[in-house]
Amino acid sequence: GKGIDSLRSNIELVTRGQDFMHRLVSSRWMCCLDKMLQLQHRSWIYLRDVKGIANGLSISNSEEINSMLALFHELGVIFHLTTTEILRDVVTLKPQWLIDSLSRVIRDGRIHAFEMDTLEKVGLRGDVDQLFDCALASQDLLEYWWGKEHLNFLLDLMRQALLLSDWNFRSENLFLVPSLAPPGSVQQLPGSDLEGKGCVGSTCVFDFSASFLPIGVFQRLVCLCVSRSSRIKGTEEPIMYKKWSRIRFGSEGIIYLEQRDENKILLTVGKDRPASRTLNVIQSMLQKINRDIMNGGLSWTIGFEVKKEVQPSKYGFQRGKNKVRTEILSFEEAKRENLKPWFGPEGQTNNNNEGFEMVTVDIGSFLKNLGD
């Protein structure tokens, strides 16, 4: 109808105004791209294959080849990441292949059902149940879906996109896919404090209300936290649900993360435990997600929950039964008051504009820089 024509015209109008439309591109680069895309039977090729095509067109300089691939990746013609050696070695010619591969894992099992009879025959029925019950994918299941040749590349891609993290808490090779975590409430945790598996403690609030908190940000934060936790040998397994998790966070002890009211992420630490470093690490993780995944589009403020006793006479309820009210103290107010455990001599707590600043690096290097 006319609506589609109008949409198409507006897209064309906006596209003509983009910088890349006025960029001069070498004819040899375009010829190289044409030859790559003519490989209709291939969804992806190795970097060495690209270099072979390029060399045949007198493009032999590695820096020029990298620049060419970076441009075509930026334009969305191909897909090529360079953060790890495994990703660098593969050039994806058909991005739809990536979508199809990842959607074998990240999917709503109730809507897009698997052929369970086939999976039962190959001995993977239990692995599928584990994926949708616990958000844990076995290496055998991923290899069955993706094929051995593609396994390492797709695993690395999902790691760098923070869609998956290694679950190194058991002897078998498992991977957490947090977007598939089951629903659950904090009341399911026994105990009354963090060390006893509950969530009573000091709470920091990351508030995204000024803009919004996109779907997937909380899950990516959980991915980074689990990756950090799993680097420490002998660490207990996290407890994972869709909007909250309990994770032993290295030397800082146990932390509790929760997504609340759609636009808030809560970080809770144990009673009387110094928490400035924990807060700085979470801040740094959010900044990495913002920079690498969200293209700088996230904005948040930091506040701290404080309990204040309410005077009975002032509020008109029964004398002798004081009530406790939870208030949010801004970052600046908390810093002025030296609010424990977030501020203190053990370290300087940073706000979201003063956190660790790191160039884009792979997940392993990022976590190593954070330390345990």
Side-chain angles (χ1 to χ4, degrees):
K2 293 182 179 180
I4 295 297
D5 291 337
S6 176
L7 178 62
R8 183 184 294 112
S9 298
N10 279 289
I11 290 174
E12 290 176 354
L13 183 63
V14 171
T15 301
R16 291 192 193 101
Q18 300 300 304
D19 291 341
F20 66 81
M21 292 296 293
H22 308 287
R23 188 180 302 179
L24 296 177
V25 179
S26 165
S27 59
R28 291 184 301 164
W29 287 17
M30 294 304 299
C31 187
C32 185
L33 176 64
D34 288 340
K35 287 183 176 295
M36 287 191 288
L37 296 181
Q38 284 170 8
L39 302 172
Q40 297 289 338
H41 62 291
R42 301 292 300 273
S43 297
W44 60 274
I45 56 177
Y46 286 113
L47 181 59
R48 63 173 178 268
D49 299 324
V50 175
K51 290 181 177 179
I53 295 172
N55 289 341
L57 297 168
S58 300
I59 307 173
S60 56
N61 184 282
S62 293
E63 287 188 11
E64 183 178 0
I65 292 173
N66 291 337
S67 297
M68 176 184 69
L69 292 175
L71 172 64
F72 293 146
H73 171 83
E74 181 184 348
L75 297 178
V77 184
I78 62 169
F79 186 86
H80 184 234
L81 296 180
T82 60
T83 46
T84 70
E85 193 64 38
I86 292 175
L87 294 178
R88 193 178 301 117
D89 196 41
V90 173
V91 178
T92 303
L93 304 177
K94 298 178 181 177
Q96 186 62 43
W97 170 72
L98 287 180
I99 296 171
D100 293 341
S101 298
L102 300 189
S103 64
R104 288 178 180 270
V105 182
I106 302 177
R107 62 198 293 170
D108 189 329
R110 297 167 300 178
I111 299 175
H112 305 287
F114 296 104
E115 294 183 3
M116 299 307 290
D117 291 341
T118 303
L119 289 164
E120 184 114 42
K121 288 177 183 178
V122 296
L124 293 173
R125 171 63 186 264
D127 297 59
V128 173
D129 292 339
Q130 178 178 243
L131 176 61
F132 287 103
D133 291 343
C134 308
L136 294 176
S138 69
Q139 182 166 314
D140 290 341
L141 181 63
L142 296 179
E143 186 174 324
Y144 174 76
W145 279 335
W146 292 340
K148 191 170 185 178
E149 186 178 14
H150 305 147
L151 180 65
N152 287 335
F153 169 73
L154 291 170
L155 277 175
D156 228 21
L157 175 64
M158 290 189 71
R159 283 191 191 100
Q160 300 307 314
L162 302 178
L163 298 172
L164 164 151
S165 61
D166 296 82
W167 191 263
N168 297 328
F169 305 100
R170 303 181 191 176
S171 56
E172 56 188 311
N173 290 328
L174 293 173
F175 305 92
L176 173 70
V177 186
S179 60
L180 298 180
S185 66
V186 68
Q187 283 74 25
Q188 294 174 244
L189 286 178
S192 59
D193 59 79
L194 261 72
E195 297 301 332
K197 297 188 178 181
C199 62
V200 175
S202 301
T203 298
C204 169
V205 180
F206 298 91
D207 190 343
F208 298 79
S209 299
S211 52
F212 72 106
L213 180 60
I215 294 172
V217 170
F218 177 75
Q219 287 74 21
R220 286 181 162 95
L221 178 60
V222 168
C223 246
L224 281 171
C225 290
V226 168
S227 295
R228 184 171 187 258
S229 178
S230 68
R231 291 164 60 90
I232 305 170
K233 192 173 181 179
T235 301
E236 64 189 271
E237 284 194 8
I239 298 174
M240 309 296 306
Y241 285 94
K242 195 173 189 66
K243 291 194 174 182
W244 60 267
S245 59
R246 175 188 180 275
I247 305 169
R248 180 165 287 281
F249 214 49
S251 59
E252 291 100 73
I254 291 172
I255 67 166
Y256 172 86
L257 289 172
E258 178 186 2
Q259 182 176 346
R260 184 183 294 178
D261 301 333
E262 300 305 324
N263 285 318
K264 294 184 177 70
I265 293 177
L266 275 59
L267 164 67
T268 303
V269 300
K271 292 179 179 179
D272 304 320
R273 181 179 291 277
S276 61
R277 175 168 170 74
T278 304
L279 178 53
N280 284 337
V281 169
I282 295 295
Q283 276 279 76
S284 192
M285 289 178 173
L286 283 172
Q287 288 168 353
K288 181 169 181 60
I289 294 168
N290 191 26
R291 180 178 54 245
D292 293 359
I293 309 297
M294 304 307 299
N295 198 29
L298 291 180
S299 177
W300 64 89
T301 59
I302 299 177
F304 303 91
E305 288 189 356
V306 292
K307 308 289 185 182
K308 291 193 176 181
E309 199 171 80
V310 179
Q311 296 295 328
S313 58
K314 185 177 179 180
Y315 288 88
F317 51 81
Q318 189 175 350
R319 188 176 295 277
K321 291 187 177 181
N322 288 9
K323 289 191 176 181
V324 175
R325 183 177 61 192
T326 300
E327 295 182 356
I328 301 297
L329 211 60
S330 72
F331 183 91
E332 291 73 19
E333 291 173 318
K335 189 172 184 178
R336 279 198 304 269
E337 296 183 14
N338 202 29
L339 182 68
K340 301 294 188 297
W342 307 104
F343 297 86
E346 75 284 345
Q348 176 64 44
T349 300
N350 299 313
N351 65 25
N352 61 303
N353 295 315
E354 298 172 350
F356 307 143
E357 184 62 33
M358 296 183 187
V359 296
T360 300
V361 294
D362 66 274
I363 299 301
S365 299
F366 173 78
L367 295 173
K368 185 178 179 180
N369 287 336
L370 288 182
D372 300 325

